[in-house]
Each structure stands twice: as structure tokens, then as C-alpha cells.
Amino acid sequence: MAGDDLYICPAGESLTYRYTNEEHGLVLRRYWTNACPNCAIKHSCTPSKERRITRWEHEHPEKMRQRRETVEHPFGTIKARMGATHFLMKTLPRVATEMALHVLTYNLTRVINIMGPGPLIAAIRT
């Protein structure tokens, strides 16, 4: 239903727009359905009285999916390489330097995996 302002629950019911409010400076839109109390799969869908969805007015699910696919992976990889722990340095300039080194290492690893070490060394020599 392109253009409709609603969401579809796992049981196929429409969660329709109900109201908008502001929390912490964000304008949030609220959606829900009243079909939950009689739903056959409610136990596997939500423990609440009804399934409710809250969305930021500028949130676009397709863009969020794209972000997860492109941006979140590098941060997870960098965090894993750091040992999934805290920064070793203290003070913002030193932490920024440490993060820059982690990002540089990630980027060099990506270039080596994509191009191979030979072409990278050749490019560095030129």
C-alpha cells in the first residue's frame, strides 16, 4: 500500500497512525492496532496489550537498512580489532589519534583485500 501511513504486523494487521508527540527534541509518530487481544500469534509478537510502533518523523526504514549494511559493519570490525574494549589513550586528542589509526588500519586492510598487496605496493611506489 504505497503512500499509506501504516505498518503491517506479522499477523497481517494494519498498525495505523494514531498521533504525534515530541520527546527529547524529536518528533515521534505512534502507530498501533486494536486487533492484538484476539490475535492467534500475539504470544510470539508482543507481551504488551497491543503492538505499538514509534518512529521518528525523519526515519525511513529503507535508509536505516542501507545504513546497517554499509556503516555498521566497519564499526563492528574496528571494535572487534580493538578487543571490544575501551580506548587505551586518555584525553580527546589522543583518543582521536587512536581512532584515526584504527580507521587507517581498517581502510588499508580493505584495500589489500580488494586490490591485493602487489598493486597496493606499486601504487605506493609511484
Side-chain angles (χ1 to χ4, degrees), residues 49-116:
K49 187 173 103 176
E50 68 235 341
R51 184 175 184 118
R52 291 179 177 240
I53 294 179
T54 302
R55 292 290 181 256
W56 177 43
E57 68 175 340
H58 299 297
E59 181 177 337
H60 302 287
E62 65 279 354
K63 296 291 184 189
M64 297 300 285
R65 187 175 304 110
Q66 181 183 19
R67 178 176 180 233
R68 277 193 304 272
E69 292 170 356
T70 57
V71 177
E72 299 296 334
H73 183 265
F75 285 111
T77 302
I78 289 169
K79 186 174 179 179
R81 287 183 184 167
M82 288 174 65
T85 184
H86 56 279
F87 287 97
L88 300 175
M89 303 271 78
K90 293 183 179 172
T91 74
L92 188 57
R94 291 178 180 157
V95 169
T97 302
E98 184 179 350
M99 186 64 192
L101 289 171
H102 285 295
V103 170
L104 177 64
T105 303
Y106 175 83
N107 288 336
L108 281 173
T109 304
R110 291 278 298 144
V111 169
I112 291 169
N113 287 337
I114 292 169
M115 294 177 55

Side-chain angles (χ1 to χ4, degrees), residues 22-27 56-57:
E22 185 175 335
E23 291 180 17
H24 309 291
L26 298 176
V27 177
W56 177 43
E57 68 175 340

